[in-house]
Amino acid sequence: MRAFDAQSVDGGSGDGCSGHGRSGGGAMTEEWTSATRAAVAALTSATDDEIVSAAVARARGEITTGVTGRPGAGKSTLVCALSGRVSGTLREIHGVDAPDVPDPPLDVDVLLHVVARGITDADRAVLAARRSAPTLVVAGRLDLGTDEPDTVRADDVEAIVGWWTDACETARRRRGLVLCAELETVAAERPHTRAAVEAFLRDPAIIAVRGAS
């Protein structure tokens, strides 16, 4: 299994399931712990600063999952297989190695990158762009075979969903770290928020989030 701890354009309105861009569905979750939610609630109760509120809203947003790959790699088939198995937004992202199409934004939290037979330079560019954001390489064209042993077969949905569950936890922790960094900047620039932000950052649940990541 090749998992790159490395981070759309919605694919359109129809993919043979009920849409390339889906939201809702699966029983899997990626929520903060109750203690973390309580710390965030205490922060938003202590200050009504709009910048703090915006940072919290971004951190609280649902985890987004994207499916990328070169044309014909099997993206739509994978989206269909995962529909109802993963929660949050599931997007099919087009534009990888597509003629006359700009490179797609890869700003989803979790990415499943589908390859056909082997990993091409275009595939490597996607993986490099993801850096440390959770990314899994999936072998989509099983009829062609694959010369890449470190991939997950697209028909092994249980393995993909298991990886996705762990990846969402990683993504949620990353969101927490980004929130803390943004709040530190806010506190430095907006003194009236400082007491509330410092209390938030000293909360044991938030210290645990920062220490685990």
Side-chain angles (χ1 to χ4, degrees), residues 1 26-28 78 81-87 112 136 152 156-168:
M1 179 183 297
M28 316 305 291
L78 183 60
L82 294 177
S83 296
R85 299 296 306 275
V86 300
S87 61
L112 303 168
L136 180 70
V152 177
D156 193 351
V157 175
E158 294 302 324
I160 295 171
V161 171
W163 176 88
W164 174 87
T165 303
D166 292 340
C168 285

Side-chain angles (χ1 to χ4, degrees), residues 50-132:
E50 68 276 10
I51 296 180
V52 171
S53 297
V56 168
R58 287 190 295 272
R60 279 177 166 165
E62 69 179 8
I63 296 297
T64 56
T65 302
V67 178
T68 54
R70 298 172 62 239
K75 299 183 297 294
S76 297
T77 300
L78 183 60
V79 169
C80 285
L82 294 177
S83 296
R85 299 296 306 275
V86 300
S87 61
T89 298
L90 176 63
R91 302 174 184 170
E92 181 176 345
I93 302 173
H94 295 277
V96 175
D97 201 22
D100 302 319
V101 176
D103 292 338
L106 302 172
D107 54 354
V108 292
D109 295 294
V110 176
L111 187 71
L112 303 168
H113 184 68
V114 186
V115 299
R117 182 179 180 84
I119 296 178
T120 67
D121 288 343
D123 296 318
R124 292 187 185 93
V126 170
L127 301 176
R130 291 286 291 173
R131 299 184 181 178
S132 62

Side-chain angles (χ1 to χ4, degrees), residues 135-153:
T135 304
L136 180 70
V137 179
V138 178
R141 289 296 304 274
L142 302 179
D143 56 315
L144 299 178
T146 179
D147 53 10
E148 295 290 344
D150 295 329
T151 59
V152 177
R153 290 171 54 99

Side-chain angles (χ1 to χ4, degrees), residues 38-51:
V40 171
L43 170 65
T44 54
S45 295
T47 178
D48 60 358
D49 184 89
E50 68 276 10
I51 296 180

